[in-house]
Amino acid sequence: MSLAVSNHKSKQNLRVQQFVAIISFLLLLIKITAYYLTNSVAILTDALELFVHSDGCMPFSCQICGKDSCSARQQPFEKRVEWNLDNIISDQKHKLV
């Protein structure tokens, strides 16, 4: 490997490291700002929380409920819900459209 190629790779490596350092510093500033705004230490971690809330049976849920031998079933099962980011974060009851 020639010295010019090695020097170019070193400069490219340094640019990547500088970019990562800048992004990390900005993320730290955002977390510190969020801490002072919310007084929550949870934002100082790298953890992610997902809360699952389960509602009781609703008649429109029968079409997506895969529970066998359900005594509350009013409609036949039709289709499983394909979970994606849009319907996971939705604040709506899950049903077929």
Side-chain angles (χ1 to χ4, degrees), residues 22 35 67 95:
I22 290 169
Y35 168 74
K67 181 178 179 186
K95 57 185 172 184

Side-chain angles (χ1 to χ4, degrees), residues 24-82:
S24 299
F25 182 72
L26 290 174
L27 183 59
L28 177 64
L29 288 178
I30 291 169
K31 286 187 170 198
I32 290 170
T33 303
Y35 168 74
Y36 282 109
L37 291 174
T38 64
N39 293 322
S40 173
V41 296
I43 57 152
L44 299 177
T45 69
D46 59 355
L48 173 69
E49 292 182 356
L50 176 64
F51 293 96
V52 177
H53 174 81
S54 177
D55 289 330
C57 289
M58 303 299 272
F60 58 81
S61 298
C62 292
Q63 297 171 319
I64 61 170
C65 176
K67 181 178 179 186
D68 293 329
S69 65
C70 176
S71 61
R73 184 171 297 284
Q74 296 179 12
Q75 297 178 20
F77 170 78
E78 290 185 30
K79 179 180 171 183
R80 287 185 57 95
V81 172
E82 295 295 327

